[in-house]
Amino acid sequence: MAKKSMVAKNEQRKVIVARYATKRLELKKALIDPNGTDESREAARVGLQKLPRNASPVRVRNRDAVDGRPRGHLKAYGISRVRFRDMAHRGELPGITKSSW
């Protein structure tokens, strides 16, 4: 089980990323625009730097949906490898069977 404060901080980061997504996209487009002037590119670069750090989607961490475990996250299921194994053993995941030989 992850610390509740870390899970809450990650949720807050998701909110901040969503809030600044359109502004960030516009600045990125201005930065790589081939028809833009050097001044507009510089202004876009400075604008990107002025955004909050947590506005970057790279800072959001994939966590287990059940207990918030940050490592071993399986993207297709939204849970960690440990939780996946437990749920597969108990038969809680439809279509997943534990193999043994």
Side-chain angles (χ1 to χ4, degrees), residues 45-52:
R45 186 184 62 78
V46 170
L48 271 174
Q49 287 179 347
K50 290 201 181 277
L51 291 178

Side-chain angles (χ1 to χ4, degrees), residues 8-75:
K9 188 186 293 186
N10 198 50
E11 291 302 315
Q12 183 62 33
R13 281 186 180 142
K14 288 180 184 177
V15 170
I16 294 172
V17 166
R19 184 182 310 149
Y20 287 98
T22 56
K23 184 172 184 177
R24 189 175 178 79
L25 185 64
E26 290 170 2
L27 289 171
K28 286 263 199 185
K29 282 184 180 178
L31 195 61
I32 62 170
D33 183 23
N35 298 329
T37 63
D38 289 339
E39 292 81 21
S40 67
R41 283 194 191 108
E42 181 67 20
R45 186 184 62 78
V46 170
L48 271 174
Q49 287 179 347
K50 290 201 181 277
L51 291 178
R53 278 189 181 183
N54 287 337
S56 174
V58 172
R59 291 177 65 93
V60 175
R61 181 100 179 165
N62 289 328
R63 290 186 172 268
D64 188 330
V66 180
D67 66 356
R69 188 179 202 285
R71 301 199 180 221
H73 181 264
L74 300 175
K75 193 174 200 174

